[in-house]
């Protein structure tokens, strides 16, 4: 199943939709200048286990890189996903302590 991820700035979120246009998941964010904080990832229970979360994570990180933004991964899912995808480390803001 293919999901299309779109930025919906008026709602401060990215949405992943299936072929029928149904929202399968979303990532909320707060944007301040060039710093984007991804605050929450949510996948509709109907779509769990189909790669929606990973599709969203990759899309929001690629978007941040393309726009020259620094990412603050507040969302635990995204923070965990980033551990497995070190290719994005150069655009992630890291503090000296880990927030859990």
């Amino acid at each position: 199943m293919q999901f299309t991820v779109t930025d919906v700035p008026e709602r401060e979120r990215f949405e992943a939709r299936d072929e029928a246009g149904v929202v399968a998941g979303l990532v909320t964010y707060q944007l301040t200048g060039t710093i984007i904080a991804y605050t929450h990832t949510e996948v509709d229970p109907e779509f769990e286990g189909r790669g929606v979360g990973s599709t969203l994570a990759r899309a929001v990180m690629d978007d941040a890189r393309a726009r020259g933004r620094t990412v603050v991964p507040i969302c635990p899912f995204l923070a965990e996903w980033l551990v497995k995808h070190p290719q994005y480390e150069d655009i992630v803001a890291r503090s000296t302590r880990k927030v859990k």
Side-chain angles (χ1 to χ4, degrees), residues 74-96:
I74 294 169
C75 166
F77 170 82
L78 189 62
E80 199 58 40
W81 186 88
L82 284 166
V83 169
K84 299 178 189 109
H85 297 86
Q87 66 268 33
Y88 294 104
E89 195 61 33
D90 61 317
I91 61 168
V92 177
R94 294 284 184 206
S95 66
T96 52

Side-chain angles (χ1 to χ4, degrees), residues 35-92:
I35 299 187
I36 190 159
Y38 293 122
T39 54
H40 178 70
T41 302
E42 190 175 308
V43 174
D44 186 289
E46 187 182 327
F47 292 95
E48 282 180 3
R50 298 193 200 171
V52 177
S54 292
T55 299
L56 276 162
R58 184 167 281 107
V60 301
M61 293 305 294
D62 287 345
D63 182 80
R65 174 169 279 145
R67 295 175 190 239
R69 292 177 174 161
T70 300
V71 173
V72 179
I74 294 169
C75 166
F77 170 82
L78 189 62
E80 199 58 40
W81 186 88
L82 284 166
V83 169
K84 299 178 189 109
H85 297 86
Q87 66 268 33
Y88 294 104
E89 195 61 33
D90 61 317
I91 61 168
V92 177

Side-chain angles (χ1 to χ4, degrees), residues 5-20:
V5 178
T6 313
D7 186 7
V8 186
E10 63 276 10
R11 298 187 75 182
E12 294 187 309
R13 69 188 204 178
F14 284 84
E15 296 176 345
R17 294 178 180 268
D18 69 2
E19 291 97 338

